[in-house]
Amino acid sequence: MPSREEIIQVSLELFLKHGYINTPLSRIADAVGIKKASLYAHFKNKEDIGRSVMVHLLEETEGHNLDMNRYPVKDLVHMFIQSGIVGWSPDVKSYHSHDTLFSELLYYFPDYRDKSHSLMNSFNRSLIKRLEKAVREGEIRDTLDPEVLAWELVTIPKGFHYLQNISQPYETELFQKIADNFWDRIKPE
């Protein structure tokens, strides 16, 4: 019998491919190679699995502290903007990324919003500090507001996730052009 952690991992993969709402318990059971009834040895219901995946994503996010001081701001710009690239799933005609799944799960489990908000604020504070340092050291223009710049860097890929969920795939070259253009706007003159 698979472990609880294996079921969570398989569920995460299925939720990324099909979305939480479009993944029935029978699909999860088939993917882990057990009968649907056997899932109840580990979880009360689908909601329990969804909550477990949400906790997994929160823990993964919390443990994924990007050391922003390791990277030049130009590299950070490219990393952030290119994180907007998500995979197209032709069988369900939608895009899923950790961001889109995270948003979907927050819709169904709003009691995790405070934790999510706290993690986002912590991440943004780290990014703002890195951008303030870049302004002080002349790595980017001193006329920039680091807080506004941080929000731009965080929201651009999220906007692309949203657009791709309701629209069509974007060519990866577009993300490179956007990152280059963004860098041109903030690099020292």
Side-chain angles (χ1 to χ4, degrees):
M1 172 161 308
S3 69
R4 181 178 172 85
E5 290 73 30
E6 288 171 304
I7 296 169
I8 291 170
Q9 193 58 47
V10 168
S11 298
L12 171 60
E13 291 167 18
L14 291 170
F15 294 168
L16 285 168
K17 185 175 182 181
H18 305 286
Y20 168 73
I21 198 68
N22 294 321
T23 304
L25 284 175
S26 57
R27 184 176 278 162
I28 295 169
D30 289 346
V32 294
I34 60 175
K35 295 202 180 297
K36 181 179 165 183
S38 297
L39 286 174
Y40 296 109
H42 297 286
F43 300 95
K44 292 184 275 187
N45 50 32
K46 182 179 170 185
E47 180 181 323
D48 193 21
I49 293 173
R51 287 181 175 282
S52 297
V53 169
M54 185 68 183
V55 168
H56 172 80
L57 289 172
L58 286 167
E59 288 171 351
E60 186 178 80
T61 301
E62 194 169 32
H64 180 72
N65 284 330
L66 179 65
D67 180 6
M68 294 184 214
N69 287 314
R70 288 185 47 206
Y71 302 96
V73 171
K74 182 177 182 179
D75 292 349
L76 287 173
V77 164
H78 281 82
M79 287 187 322
F80 275 86
I81 292 175
Q82 290 181 343
S83 74
I85 300 170
V86 296
W88 171 249
S89 180
D91 56 330
V92 293
K93 297 189 175 32
S94 68
Y95 298 89
H96 288 86
S97 68
H98 281 76
D99 271 356
T100 54
L101 176 59
F102 200 79
S103 294
E104 181 183 13
L105 291 174
L106 277 176
Y107 175 79
Y108 291 103
F109 310 116
D111 47 314
Y112 290 102
R113 283 192 191 282
D114 287 345
K115 179 67 172 173
S116 173
H117 185 71
S118 173
L119 289 171
M120 186 66 182
N121 281 341
S122 175
F123 181 82
N124 279 0
R125 280 192 304 277
S126 297
L127 179 56
I128 291 166
K129 285 180 185 178
R130 174 63 182 98
L131 294 171
E132 288 171 342
K133 178 181 174 193
V135 166
R136 282 192 310 275
E137 295 178 357
E139 190 179 357
I140 59 176
R141 293 181 186 172
D142 62 0
T143 56
L144 297 169
D145 180 333
E147 184 174 357
V148 172
L149 189 59
W151 279 106
E152 283 184 87
L153 282 172
V154 168
T155 57
I156 287 172
K158 292 186 182 322
F160 270 109
H161 289 161
Y162 173 76
L163 288 174
Q164 291 179 112
N165 270 319
I166 63 169
S167 180
Q168 62 185 14
Y170 291 94
E171 299 296 322
T172 56
E173 294 81 26
L174 175 63
F175 292 89
Q176 182 66 40
K177 288 178 185 176
I178 291 169
D180 290 342
N181 183 58
F182 194 94
W183 175 247
D184 286 343
R185 285 185 20 237
I186 69 170
K187 71 182 180 185
E189 296 175 339

